[in-house]
Every structure is written in C-alpha cells, then in structure tokens.
Amino acid sequence: MSGELPFEMPLAEMRKKIEELEQFGQEKGIDFTDEIARLEERYKRLEEEIYSNISPSQKMHLARHQQRPTSLDLIQLIFTDFIELHGDRLYGDDLAVVGGLAKLNGVPVTVLGQQRGKDTKDNIARFFGSAHPEGFRKALRLMQQADKFRRPIITFIDTKGAYPGNTAEERGQSEAIARNLREMSSLGVPVVCVVIGEGGSGGALAMAVGNRVLMLEHAIYSVISPNGAASILWKDASKADQAAEAMKITAQDLLKMEVIEEIIPEPKGGAHKNYEETAESIRSALLRHLSELSGMDACELKEDRYRKFRKIGEFEVAASEPIEQQDEQDAVL
C-alpha cells in the first residue's frame, strides 16, 4: 500500500500480512481461509478503532494528503459540461484558481476551486494552490458574471493561504482579497462553499463568503495554518501538530461553533480512498442546499449571508455583581 500516514501504519502492516498469507497459500496449495478470516476481522476492528479516534493533528495530515482529490478531480466527477475559463482581464491567468461554467443535475452553475498540483512540476506551476491577486480577481470576474446571468455559484476551498511572496504583494494581494470579501457578500445568487482539504487564512476566505459553508469530514479550516501559528507562538514551525490540537480547526469543532453548516462524510480512511464516493456525497449536499436557497430572491440571499456571518463569534457575558455590592467590597478593600 502507498500513501499511508504514520498513524495508519499498523493497518498497512496487517494488510501486508494478509496479502502475504494469501499468496503463500496459493503458491503452496494450503488452505488458510480460517486464518485469513480471523486476520480480516482483526483488521476491521483496528480500522474502526483508528478512524473513529482521529486527532486534529492527524486530520491536518489527512487534509494535506498528496493523493486527496483536488478541485478539478471533483469538478469532473460532480458536474457535466464543464468549460474552464481563464484570466482576470487585468494581469494574467493564475493556475492556482480554476473556474468556469458547468451543469449540476442539468442546472447551469459557475464553479470555482483552488487547485494544488498532483506532482512537483504541477505544484510549482500552481504555487501549491496559493493564489496571486490575479487568481482572486479571476474568481471575482467569474462570480460577477454568474451574478449577471443568475447562475448559482459553487466554490471548492483547498489552500494553505494566499501566496506570500513579493510578486503577490506588488500586485495588490491584500486589496484583491478584501475586494472579494466585499463583493461576495453582495452577490444576489446562491453561493455554496465546500472546504475539501485545507482552508487557510484570507486565501481561503476570499472564496468562502457563502450562504452555506460545508466541510468534508477530515478537512480543516482556520484563520492561519497550524505551521504559521506554531512559527508565531513557539518560533518553531515543526510544532504544527501541537498547534493543530489547540486551534479548533476540524469540521466537528467548526460545526459546534456554527462557522459551517454541514459536515460531508468521507470514505473510511479519507477522501483519497474513494474519489467517486466522496464526489457523490458532495453532490448530494450541494443539491440539497441549492434547493433550499433557490426559493430566495436576491435581497433574501444577501440578508441570509449577512446573518450567517454575523452570528459567528457570539458569546455570553457572565452576570456582573450589583454596583452597590461592588462599591461595598471596594470600600472594605
């Protein structure tokens, strides 16, 4: 087996033993059916134990798995008639952001996604999924086009953050992100955003101001990457696992805090184990939420989006002591 993470190694070793025993039995003509059945049962119990207790740091590694489906992988599986559009009409075409026209269950939509590479060469070309300003401006151009022609918008979030280099800053990175936040908040069409891998910092939020924000089961979403948080807090990026445990970045944590609306289940072991099953789960969730939003007009959609983000961060203040009692205590002191 390939692509196992450290916490999955006991499963990989047991699977290897099962396969070796099957091969040995075939070569020697010996029936190991009972032994293999017992090992398979132990494998299922171990699998259930491992995947039902995945820690935040382990989820971070699952979200970053090199074989995890990318935006383009999911677009090809979920939508039909996809036509990719390029360029921001201002500077150039950023390959870290993909987008275009497609059909979802026969309905025209605009779909956008942050695209990391499949190998080293592809990652370099796509800046590991970290967009420059022209990437965000391309996304905004397509969203404004969708608003003009009344097409629902679907975005896939998968980035560690916006590109942090000099070239991005020179071309107006912060302005491009801020403009997306403002313009997305005022779109008059349904916007559904899905965090499919890692959603990090403003680079993620610049394409995630939606009426509904969904997350895959093992995706993560945070104001800063765990590596960046570790660099700030402990001056050591290698403590990213420790930061991940403290940051409440998992879909389960974010659902409790009402930052997201739904957790989309993944195949056992992660989305990279079965692309088709993952895509079908996302497709079902998209259809359900778009059906709910389709009955709203432009004003209602804007108000719905406003309420969604206003409720994030609500808290209760503990009741304070009466002023008279506080004055008496101060006098005693």
Side-chain angles (χ1 to χ4, degrees):
M1 297 177 73
S2 60
E4 286 83 7
L5 296 170
F7 72 92
E8 297 176 301
M9 290 311 297
L11 284 174
E13 292 169 0
M14 186 172 292
R15 174 52 59 189
K16 184 178 178 181
K17 289 179 181 178
I18 293 171
E19 291 173 353
E20 288 176 348
L21 189 59
E22 288 174 341
Q23 183 177 356
F24 183 75
Q26 292 173 359
E27 292 175 352
K28 302 298 183 180
I30 303 173
D31 185 7
F32 289 116
T33 303
D34 293 340
E35 290 81 356
I36 292 173
R38 283 195 292 271
L39 286 174
E40 289 283 5
E41 184 61 31
R42 286 175 55 192
Y43 180 90
K44 290 178 181 178
R45 289 200 301 270
L46 180 60
E47 185 180 49
E48 183 63 30
E49 179 183 343
I50 288 175
Y51 291 129
S52 62
N53 296 285
I54 301 178
S55 68
S57 61
Q58 291 169 342
K59 283 182 179 289
M60 176 184 71
H61 293 294
L62 277 174
R64 294 175 173 176
H65 200 289
Q66 182 60 33
Q67 296 173 11
R68 195 171 178 86
T70 65
S71 292
L72 282 176
D73 291 327
L74 295 172
I75 287 171
Q76 296 297 337
L77 290 168
I78 295 171
F79 303 91
T80 57
D81 303 320
F82 175 62
I83 302 173
E84 186 174 357
L85 302 177
H86 299 271
D88 67 342
R89 303 298 186 266
L90 292 170
Y91 180 86
D93 188 35
D94 188 346
L95 298 181
V97 174
V98 297
L101 312 178
K103 288 183 179 179
L104 177 63
N105 204 29
V107 177
V109 298
T110 290
V111 58
L112 298 154
Q114 292 159 330
Q115 179 69 21
R116 52 186 173 79
K118 284 290 192 178
D119 52 37
T120 301
K121 183 178 179 180
D122 197 22
N123 265 318
I124 291 172
R126 298 184 184 277
F127 298 98
F128 293 84
S130 296
H132 280 69
E134 54 268 26
F136 297 120
R137 290 172 181 143
K138 173 169 70 172
L140 180 58
R141 179 176 75 84
L142 297 182
M143 286 188 280
Q144 290 173 332
Q145 181 194 78
D147 194 34
K148 178 180 179 180
F149 292 102
R150 313 303 302 161
R151 288 192 299 266
I153 298 169
I154 297 162
T155 71
F156 292 122
I157 312 303
D158 189 13
T159 182
K160 292 183 180 180
Y163 187 72
N166 289 341
T167 54
E169 296 300 328
E170 289 167 356
R171 299 202 285 270
Q173 186 72 288
S174 59
E175 187 277 339
I177 293 173
R179 184 179 294 271
N180 274 33
L181 300 182
R182 185 187 70 184
E183 297 299 325
M184 286 190 76
S185 67
S186 62
L187 292 169
V189 295
V191 183
V192 180
C193 311
V194 187
V195 184
I196 61 172
E198 180 174 12
S201 193
L205 191 58
M207 290 175 58
V209 183
N211 297 90
R212 302 288 185 270
V213 178
L214 319 177
M215 286 181 70
L216 283 178
E217 182 181 357
H218 301 312
I220 60 173
Y221 191 27
S222 59
V223 70
I224 187 173
S225 71
N227 304 72
S231 297
I232 293 171
L233 294 175
W234 298 292
K235 311 298 182 186
D236 185 358
S238 67
K239 293 186 177 181
D241 285 359
Q242 186 176 343
E245 297 287 343
M247 289 172 62
K248 304 296 183 184
I249 61 176
T250 68
Q252 293 73 20
D253 289 324
L254 295 168
L255 183 64
K256 290 178 183 177
M257 294 187 285
E258 297 187 12
V259 174
I260 66 171
E261 278 66 50
E262 182 179 338
I263 298 173
I264 301 173
E266 297 186 27
K268 188 166 289 186
H272 59 286
K273 299 289 187 180
N274 191 324
Y275 283 22
E276 289 76 15
E277 183 179 339
T278 301
E280 184 55 35
S281 296
I282 295 174
R283 183 175 181 275
S284 297
L286 290 175
L287 289 171
R288 186 170 60 257
H289 286 282
L290 286 174
S291 177
E292 294 173 2
L293 296 169
S294 63
M296 299 183 187
D297 61 26
C299 291
E300 290 171 331
L301 287 166
K302 295 174 188 178
E303 180 62 25
D304 175 80
R305 206 174 298 129
Y306 175 79
R307 287 197 303 268
K308 173 198 163 36
F309 284 91
R310 284 290 293 176
K311 73 181 180 182
I312 296 174
E314 289 182 354
F315 60 92
E316 294 182 2
V317 179
S320 58
E321 296 178 351
I323 296 176
E324 296 80 4
Q325 183 178 347
Q326 184 65 46
D327 289 343
E328 292 175 2
Q329 291 179 352
D330 292 343
V332 172
L333 293 174

